[in-house]
Amino acid sequence: MTHTSIENNIAKLRLRLRQSVEKYDRQESDILLMAVSKTRPAADIREAYACGLDQFGESYLQEASKKIEELADLPLTWHFIGPLQSNKTRPIAEQFQWVHSVAREKVARRLDEQRPAGKPPLQVCLQVNISGEQSKSGVSLAGLPALAEFVESLPRLRLRGLMAIPAATDRETDQRAQFARLREAFSALQSQHPDMDTLSMGMSADMEAAIAEGSNLLRIGTAIFGPRRG
Ligand SMILES: *Cc1c(COP(=O)(O)O)cnc(C)c1O
């Protein structure tokens, strides 16, 4: 029986994860692994599912909708992690279980209004701009408490935590400094929002730093599926 590259990649990733949780004294079972499947065909997602993954992240709505439909026979959890436009929230509210990129009240309000009544509340992470760069999306640290309070007031949304995409750097100390800012913001908010339980940080190139700083939801694309073509 030959092993596919996705299967091999997942085995390597699990090893990396295990080494890292040991190094930083974390529990592997506390860390949820999301496979970021943007630009990948549905067949790749089936393969990853066969290897035990059931959380999938997508960034582009049209592409995601097609795959969600194609894979409706599998018990998958879909996370929207891409840029959110307020005029395109409806399909996201209808098709996804999680959204990680909420950064504006207007978008939150629309997702709340558009979440179908028959479904459980939409699980929401607020995307925070931790690098402070103007070009990066996300709510500022200063704007975060008000946005969290607003989302908490919406009945069809459930505030689960925070997400960030740090400025790219391959120095682990710089990666950790950025993730530490998100962790600190998370801890500060927890006094007002004790049900918040999710720190969504860490991608293929910085998952060790994220684990060191307390991540409990990794968003991994390249290390599972290989380099993106699209
Ligand atoms: C693409 C993407 C990822 C995955 O990045 P990799 O480097 O391929 O692991 C994670 N989070 C977000 C928000 C993304 O857009």
Side-chain angles (χ1 to χ4, degrees):
M1 178 93 191
T2 57
H3 294 273
T4 68
S5 63
I6 291 176
E7 191 178 1
N8 278 329
N9 289 347
I10 292 173
K12 273 187 231 155
L13 176 64
R14 289 203 186 282
L15 189 64
R16 223 177 122 188
L17 182 57
R18 206 160 308 134
Q19 286 169 340
S20 183
V21 297
E22 266 169 37
K23 179 169 176 188
Y24 296 112
D25 206 18
R26 301 280 317 274
Q27 294 293 325
E28 195 175 343
S29 58
D30 289 343
I31 301 173
L32 190 64
L33 184 56
M34 175 212 297
V36 176
S37 47
K38 66 189 182 205
T39 79
R40 319 293 177 167
D44 286 10
I45 297 174
R46 283 194 189 275
E47 223 173 299
Y49 173 73
C51 298
L53 301 184
D54 62 1
Q55 310 288 317
F56 290 89
E58 291 281 340
S59 301
Y60 313 110
L61 186 57
Q62 264 196 328
E63 180 201 329
S65 294
K66 224 181 283 169
K67 285 186 268 183
I68 292 172
E69 207 170 298
E70 258 180 271
L71 295 163
D73 58 311
L74 300 183
L76 307 181
T77 299
W78 292 99
H79 300 249
F80 189 81
I81 61 175
L84 280 166
Q85 289 166 272
S86 55
N87 61 344
K88 293 196 181 142
T89 48
R90 183 177 297 279
I92 294 173
E94 291 175 351
Q95 294 164 11
F96 284 80
Q97 285 87 45
W98 283 72
V99 178
H100 291 239
S101 42
V102 172
R104 291 188 294 139
E105 287 194 3
K106 185 175 177 190
V107 164
R109 187 182 305 113
R110 291 179 67 97
L111 288 169
D112 176 67
E113 286 164 4
Q114 294 165 345
R115 180 67 173 170
K119 298 199 170 187
L122 188 59
Q123 312 295 303
V124 166
C125 289
L126 306 179
Q127 183 174 351
V128 183
N129 181 350
I130 46 169
S131 72
E133 292 170 275
Q134 291 279 309
S135 59
K136 286 266 154 58
S137 45
V139 63
S140 66
L141 285 169
L144 181 58
L147 182 62
E149 199 162 318
F150 182 72
V151 168
E152 193 86 275
S153 76
L154 300 173
R156 306 295 299 139
L157 302 188
R158 178 156 167 232
L159 180 63
R160 293 297 296 270
L162 304 181
M163 183 275 250
I165 307 171
T169 163
D170 47 22
R171 289 192 53 211
E172 190 164 345
T173 47
D174 295 341
Q175 294 170 352
R176 283 191 61 165
Q178 297 188 68
F179 289 140
R181 277 206 286 282
L182 193 69
R183 171 175 46 74
E184 283 157 16
F186 181 76
S187 304
L189 273 185
Q190 271 185 321
S191 57
Q192 293 296 316
H193 308 282
D195 292 340
M196 253 184 22
D197 59 5
T198 302
L199 202 42
S200 167
M201 58 188 199
M203 312 195 282
S204 297
D206 56 18
M207 60 178 260
E208 283 81 6
I211 290 169
E213 297 299 339
S215 167
N216 60 15
L217 202 169
L218 299 170
R219 308 181 310 270
I220 308 291
T222 312
I224 292 173
F225 297 108
R228 275 184 289 280
R229 288 173 293 268

